[in-house]
Amino acid sequence: MDLLKDPDLVGELGPLLSAEAAAEAPGAGMDAADLEQAVWVRLLESSRRAPDPEDPAEPARWLRRAVRAEARLARRRARREIPYGHPRHPEEGGGRTGGGAGQEPEPALLDGEENRALRSAVARLPGRCPELLRALLSPRDLTYREIAGELGISQGSLGPVRSRCLGCLRRMLAAEVAAPGLRGREP
């Protein structure tokens, strides 16, 4: 079904798109109008390609998925962007630029060690915790619905399981870290 060939349908979907964009935009850190525009561009681009099995058989569902997908892309872009003048900006000669020539060796080594320690601790967690936390930390930025589908558990139980797993990880990491000193108190 080509949405662009049905102007009435496009007119009907406009308010739904506005509402969905207004709901998702604050979480994506962007303006609702920009999010709407990105979805319209996605619709135009999908209409130029060959028919896709995911093309909107149900236009409202397609529209909601497109808004959420664009919001996820905006969140990813925002995480990767580094403003000019920031010490981590590559043109400013700052460190922590992702392994470039300007990166200081000590912070790079510490980052690598922290990441390895976290991955190792996650792998040692009991039960379904390792796969759940890997899904939550995935660069694919999965939604709760997608994670629940991948793990084969209900979406409603995902939050409590996540809380238990994070609590277990917190206790495991706290046991591995040395206790703080007495800080001026006498023994």
Side-chain angles (χ1 to χ4, degrees):
M1 168 182 219
D2 190 1
L3 286 177
L4 297 177
K5 291 182 182 175
D6 188 357
D8 294 332
L9 188 57
V10 171
E12 290 173 16
L13 291 177
L16 175 62
L17 175 57
S18 295
E20 290 288 328
E24 290 288 331
M30 66 186 303
D31 186 46
D34 291 339
L35 186 56
E36 279 185 63
Q37 184 177 9
V39 173
W40 285 123
V41 169
R42 180 180 279 232
L43 176 62
L44 287 170
E45 287 174 346
S46 72
S47 69
R48 282 189 241 153
R49 291 190 301 248
D52 185 0
E54 291 210 18
D55 256 354
E58 295 179 45
R61 176 191 271 174
W62 181 90
L63 190 74
R64 286 184 188 101
R65 282 194 308 224
V67 168
R68 287 180 180 85
E70 288 297 328
R72 279 193 304 270
L73 286 172
R75 283 192 300 272
R76 285 187 196 127
R77 274 192 305 271
R79 281 193 301 252
R80 288 191 306 257
E81 288 178 353
I82 301 171
Y84 284 112
H86 193 277
R88 288 178 27 192
H89 195 279
E91 291 181 12
E92 302 293 324
R96 301 176 74 115
T97 58
Q103 186 172 11
E104 296 294 322
E106 187 175 353
L109 178 66
L110 291 175
D111 284 348
E113 287 178 6
E114 288 172 359
N115 288 336
R116 279 189 292 280
L118 180 61
R119 284 193 304 270
S120 173
V122 166
R124 293 190 316 263
L125 288 171
R128 303 192 94 169
C129 290
E131 57 188 331
L132 173 63
L133 290 179
R134 276 193 295 270
L136 288 170
L137 296 171
S138 169
R140 294 185 300 164
D141 194 26
L142 301 171
T143 64
Y144 265 29
R145 179 178 293 162
E146 292 166 334
I147 292 171
E150 278 190 12
L151 299 179
I153 60 177
S154 73
Q155 188 175 347
S157 66
L158 201 56
V161 171
R162 183 205 67 187
S163 294
R164 283 192 297 272
C165 292
L166 288 175
C168 187
L169 180 63
R170 193 176 298 115
R171 286 187 300 276
M172 182 185 296
L173 291 175
E176 292 176 4
V177 175
L182 295 174
R183 296 187 186 176
R185 290 186 234 151
E186 293 187 36

